[in-house]
């Protein structure tokens, strides 16, 4: 055995095969971050993102700094969390939905779907940031984190680097100082950002049929941006303005899907769209594969003022008004509590509530 044969870290990820079914795929803009480093390239990307962010609210990112192998490696860590650790080890830090703090592990089946007794089918772990001051250490108390901390920190910080570039492009699009959004989402600041691994467990078709094949109910994301590392198992759908649902297509070669969340929608006076999306039962040729997901959820900084940004473009469009700011964490915690501190994922169709002057729609058909 040579040194090169010594396997370090979890076993290799074997990606499921893409579906051969003809699904109705969304046509998403591709943002090529290779162009970020020249002034012209940056402006071009900002223009493209301005359009994508204000229409679909979803886009794909390529040349993000993550290669295809890097993404496979991320999935190998996700698989390892769910399969190589005991229930007790996974439950070392459990999410406390009563406080709206979403760090830690949510086990599968602790909620029911809609008005049935069918349990939800996803388990989730949200891993807090690895800041230099170690302020989130209490949420890192998993054996999985202890054994893989250097790698998880690398993935978390590298995800943030993708986010940082996107935040700059979004600010340029709104004609703001290019660091306007970055300053409100610093990695070293406290925030409820999380690197998330998620695993959906397939259900019997007859059960899925009773809940409109729902694996994750229709929602908008709570924070500023979400990164979804390439998902090969189809099921994620976005709602188009005409009300039809379109599937998000896998993007190979190191691709990442990104979408706008509600706080970016607020900050942009509604200009950037936090698009409604859901996850449905995958097609027959993929439904048996455990659907593992890997994400980075960007939330506003704990102390950030969420308000409409004083953007010349928003002023010109009549979208700017002075509002009293909502504090980042107050908003995030209220939002998480409202959504998750329940026994059932009821439809909540078009149920609205307000945090400060910002209106939140909790669920959709
Ligand atoms: O699993 C997916 O593909 C998407 C999940 C999702 O939308 C979320 O967790 O916010
Ligand atoms: Fe989502």
């Amino acid at each position: 055995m040579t040194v090169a044969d010594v396997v370090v870290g979890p076993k290799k990820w074997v990606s499921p095969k893409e579906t051969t079914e003809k699904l109705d795929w969304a046509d998403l803009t591709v943002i090529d971050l290779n162009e970020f480093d020249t002034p012209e390239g940056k402006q071009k990307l900002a223009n493209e993102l301005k359009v994508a962010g204000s229409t679909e609210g979803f886009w794909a990112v390529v040349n993000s700094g993550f290669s295809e192998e890097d993404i496979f490696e991320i999935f190998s860590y996700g698989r390892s969390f769910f399969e190589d650790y005991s229930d007790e080890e996974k439950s070392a830090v459990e999410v406390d939905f009563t406080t709206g703090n979403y760090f830690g592990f949510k086990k599968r089946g602790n909620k029911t779907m809609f008005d049935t007794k069918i349990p939800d089918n996803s388990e989730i772990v949200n891993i807090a940031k690895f800041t230099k001051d170690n302020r989130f250490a209490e949420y890192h108390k998993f054996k999985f984190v202890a054994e893989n901390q250097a790698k998880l920190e690398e993935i978390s910080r590298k995800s943030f680097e993708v986010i940082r570039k996107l935040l700059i492009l979004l600010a340029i699009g709104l004609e703001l100082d290019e660091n306007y959004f970055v300053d409100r989402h610093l990695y070293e600041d406290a925030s409820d950002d999380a690197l998330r691994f998620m695993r959906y467990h397939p259900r019997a078709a007859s059960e899925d049929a009773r809940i409109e094949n729902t694996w994750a109910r229709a929602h908008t994301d709570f924070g500023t941006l979400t990164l979804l590392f390439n998902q090969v198992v189809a099921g994620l759908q976005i709602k188009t303005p005409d009300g039809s649902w379109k599937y998000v297509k896998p993007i190979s070669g190191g691709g990442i899907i990104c979408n706008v969340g509600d706080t970016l929608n607020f900050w942009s006076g509604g200009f950037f769209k936090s698009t409604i999306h859901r996850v449905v039962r995958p097609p027959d040729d993929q439904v048996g594969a455990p659907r593992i997901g890997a994400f980075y959820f960007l939330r506003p900084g704990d102390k950030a003022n969420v308000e409409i940004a004083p953007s010349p473009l928003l002023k010109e469009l009549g979208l700017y008004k002075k509002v009293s700011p909502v504090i980042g964490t107050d908003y995030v915690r209220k939002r998480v509590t409202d959504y998750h501190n329940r026994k059932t994922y009821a439809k909540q169709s078009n149920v609205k509530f307000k945090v400060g002057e910002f209106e939140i729609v909790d669920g959709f058909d």
Side-chain angles (χ1 to χ4, degrees):
M1 195 154 132
T2 65
V3 174
D5 293 327
V6 178
V7 178
V8 183
K11 74 173 191 228
K12 222 170 163 219
W13 169 249
V14 182
S15 176
K17 295 246 173 322
E18 288 190 19
T19 181
T20 57
E21 279 189 37
K22 298 240 165 323
L23 302 178
D24 194 5
W25 302 108
D27 187 19
L28 299 182
T29 300
V30 178
I31 298 293
D32 182 351
L33 286 180
N34 264 353
E35 300 191 62
F36 185 85
D37 292 327
T38 64
E40 310 78 57
K42 208 173 182 182
Q43 188 60 52
K44 175 172 166 267
L45 292 182
N47 294 344
E48 289 169 5
L49 195 49
K50 185 162 107 180
V51 176
S54 60
T55 51
E56 285 88 16
F58 270 70
W59 59 89
V61 178
V62 296
N63 295 314
S64 63
F66 287 98
S67 65
E68 184 149 271
E69 288 67 39
D70 293 337
I71 292 187
F72 287 168
E73 188 181 51
I74 293 173
F75 279 86
S76 75
Y77 282 91
R79 186 212 57 78
S80 177
F81 175 80
F82 295 116
E83 293 177 10
D84 297 344
Y85 294 86
S86 66
D87 287 348
E88 204 182 327
E89 285 161 349
K90 289 195 285 188
S91 303
V93 185
E94 278 192 285
V95 175
D96 180 4
F97 286 127
T98 60
T99 60
N101 175 331
Y102 205 165
F103 294 135
F105 179 60
K106 173 219 164 284
K107 60 171 175 277
R108 157 163 75 127
N110 57 5
K111 322 254 190 242
T112 52
M113 301 298 291
F114 305 155
D115 50 357
T116 70
K117 292 208 165 58
I118 298 173
D120 77 81
N121 65 340
S122 64
E123 45 181 335
I124 293 176
V125 62
N126 286 314
I127 302 169
K129 295 190 284 195
F130 297 91
T131 55
K132 292 201 180 85
D133 63 8
N134 228 354
R135 66 166 83 233
F136 296 114
E138 66 175 299
Y139 303 113
H140 289 151
K141 286 187 184 151
F142 290 101
K143 187 163 172 231
F144 169 71
V145 176
E147 290 181 350
N148 302 297
Q149 174 139 355
K151 195 72 208 183
L152 294 169
E153 175 167 352
E154 185 191 315
I155 299 167
S156 168
R157 287 185 178 273
K158 232 168 122 174
S159 301
F160 193 81
E161 188 48 27
V162 179
I163 297 257
R164 195 185 65 80
K165 289 179 178 165
L166 293 172
L167 290 178
I168 288 174
L169 296 174
L170 291 161
I172 295 173
L174 294 184
E175 301 160 22
L176 290 161
D177 176 282
E178 71 169 35
N179 286 316
Y180 183 88
F181 292 123
V182 173
D183 289 344
R184 287 155 179 80
H185 299 84
L186 298 174
Y187 192 88
E188 296 301 334
D189 281 355
S191 75
D192 282 8
D193 280 26
L195 172 67
R196 172 184 300 180
F197 297 116
M198 186 168 186
R199 178 169 69 166
Y200 296 85
H201 294 258
R203 291 193 189 94
S206 56
E207 281 199 330
D208 273 345
R210 290 174 50 210
I211 51 171
E212 299 167 37
N213 291 318
T214 307
W215 281 19
R217 77 166 163 101
H219 66 279
T220 56
D221 284 354
F222 308 166
T224 300
L225 287 175
T226 305
L227 299 184
L228 294 95
F229 292 96
N230 183 38
Q231 175 56 266
V232 175
V233 181
L236 175 61
Q237 297 180 319
I238 63 176
K239 196 167 192 172
T240 60
D242 70 13
S244 64
W245 292 96
K246 291 206 189 298
Y247 283 88
V248 173
K249 207 182 171 110
I251 168 120
S252 59
I256 301 174
I257 300 295
C258 183
N259 65 284
V260 173
D262 290 340
T263 40
L264 184 56
N265 178 264
F266 298 153
W267 254 310
S268 65
F271 183 76
F272 290 124
K273 303 284 185 257
S274 47
T275 296
I276 302 165
H277 55 285
R278 67 180 183 187
V279 179
V280 296
R281 178 184 174 81
D284 285 347
D285 59 355
Q286 291 189 316
V287 73
R291 190 173 182 280
I292 290 181
F295 308 83
Y296 189 95
F297 284 91
L298 179 76
R299 312 288 206 202
D302 274 12
K303 297 200 171 70
N305 284 341
V306 184
E307 57 196 332
I308 304 179
S311 139
L313 177 73
L314 298 181
K315 287 180 181 166
E316 202 181 299
L317 295 173
L319 294 173
Y320 177 79
K321 68 174 181 206
K322 196 150 180 51
V323 292
S324 32
V326 166
I327 309 301
T329 305
D330 291 352
Y331 157 79
V332 173
R333 299 278 161 104
K334 284 202 177 95
R335 186 86 167 87
V336 172
T337 307
D338 181 77
Y339 195 96
H340 291 288
N341 190 29
R342 301 170 178 277
K343 291 211 162 45
T344 178
Y345 285 124
K347 275 214 165 175
Q348 299 272 96
S349 297
N350 302 312
V351 172
K352 294 183 180 152
F353 75 102
K354 275 188 141 185
V355 179
E357 292 177 55
F358 296 116
E359 188 172 75
I360 293 147
V361 186
D362 192 68
F364 306 87
D365 282 328

